[in-house]
Structures are given as C-alpha cells and as structure tokens.
Amino acid sequence: MSAVCFEFAKGVRCSYGDGCRFAHVRSPSAARIQQFFGEYPSFNYSRSSPIMSEFWRMCQHFNWDKEDEDREEAHKAFKDALTQQFNDYYGTDVDNIASWQKLCRRLGVEPIPEGLQACRAIIEKTHVNLVDLVDNGRFEIFKSLEDLRVYTIDERKFFPLDDAYAGGLLKFLLREILHKYNGGQNKQSRGHPHRGGRRGARRG
C-alpha cells in the first residue's frame, strides 16, 4: 500500500515515471469544493494547493477573526462542501462494496479485494485523515491512531460527525475512529492521563 502521486493525480506527467514510489491514481474533480470557493470571487483560489490551507488563507484574505459571523457561515458551508464531496467520491451506503473498493483504490491497495469484509478490514486498520482523501494531493498513512490524532489537530483537518449531508459510510468511518481512539485512551488512562482529548479522533 502506498500514497498517491500528487503529480499524477493532478493530471500532470509524473517526473519519476514508472519508477515513482507513489501510486499512480487519478483523482476525480472536486466540483463541490470549487463551487464553494467560487462563491468568493475576490479570493484567488489555487486548485493545486491543499483545500484546508486554502480555506484558512481565504479567512486571512477577508480578515475574518474567530468570532466573525461571515467566517462562521463560510466555515459551515465549507464543511458541507467537504462532506458532499466525500459522498460524491465514495458514496454514502456503508454496505456498498463499490464504495469500499473506491476507498481501497484511493489508498493504493493492490489488488483490490472483491469482498466487502476484506475491504473493510483494510480500511479500518489504515490510519489516514479523511479530509486528505477528499483532497487531490498526497496523503499520509500514519503508524498509529495517536499520530493521526496529532496530525488532525495540528492541521485542523476535521470532518463534522453531525453534518446534515453526512452519509452512512462517512458516519461509520468517523465512529470507528472515535471508538478506537476512546479504547486506546481508556487503556492509557490507567497509568498517566492522556493529553489531547477526543477532539482529533472525532473528526479525523
């Protein structure tokens, strides 16, 4: 299993060719994300940049602070766009084998399992940020859930668990992350308190 080649995913010829250590997988167009940024024409949205960094750059462009109502409204609309984009890419039915195979393909799994449970087993043991799976660039597969949690918080890449557009598949994945992290936290709490809380696991 390997990460996806950023150049190839963008439709650009990979400079490493067949020798590239990243998977050559085409990413679908991010229509929902582009539509969102299209609502703010005075902001020069860069499609080649990570979508989360572009959102925060847009906030700086408009000089929005944390309490600004315009920022809150934009943030909600952005989260809706992220959620709908996930649905467009991977589907919403948690029992649809095609959806799980799309996730496996995005992760560079070869060969793609034919059974639903086999696909689930691979996805459930893979620590990856779900927002990165919506973005068209490279993503990182982390060694542990704690590493993923730290990355999620540091990069502020959260999916809202209670978004109105969240389908069954996305909700299932988010609950799995939360459940696994809570289990690990309970084990560690027998010794030293674990810092960081549940925030990162809730929306990884």
Side-chain angles (χ1 to χ4, degrees), residues 32-33 36 51-52 55 75-89 130-132 134-135 156-160 163 165 170:
R32 304 282 188 175
I33 302 300
F36 166 79
I51 51 180
M52 286 304 305
F55 175 78
H75 197 208
K76 182 183 183 305
F78 180 67
K79 292 295 186 180
D80 287 345
L82 275 179
T83 302
Q84 291 175 298
Q85 194 67 67
F86 182 94
N87 295 342
D88 290 348
Y89 281 2
L130 297 180
V131 174
D132 284 346
V134 172
D135 210 339
R156 295 186 288 180
K157 292 184 176 181
F158 305 109
F159 254 116
D163 191 281
Y165 294 101
L170 179 57

Side-chain angles (χ1 to χ4, degrees), residues 4-12 23-28 106 135-138:
V4 171
C5 174
F6 179 79
E7 292 178 337
F8 191 87
K10 290 291 186 183
V12 179
H24 282 187
V25 178
R26 296 292 187 193
S27 296
R106 179 72 170 100
D135 210 339
N136 284 340
R138 291 175 180 171

Side-chain angles (χ1 to χ4, degrees), residues 32 41 52 79 99-100 115 124-125 128 137 139 145 150 157 170 189 191-192 201:
R32 304 282 188 175
M52 286 304 305
K79 292 295 186 180
S99 293
W100 290 94
E124 290 175 8
K125 70 180 181 181
V128 63
F139 56 84
L145 193 59
V150 171
K157 292 184 176 181
L170 179 57
S189 65
H192 300 285

Side-chain angles (χ1 to χ4, degrees), residues 28-39 45 47 81 85 136:
S29 62
R32 304 282 188 175
I33 302 300
Q34 293 169 15
Q35 289 172 7
F36 166 79
F37 284 110
E39 295 295 321
Y45 167 55
R47 296 185 182 183
Q85 194 67 67
N136 284 340

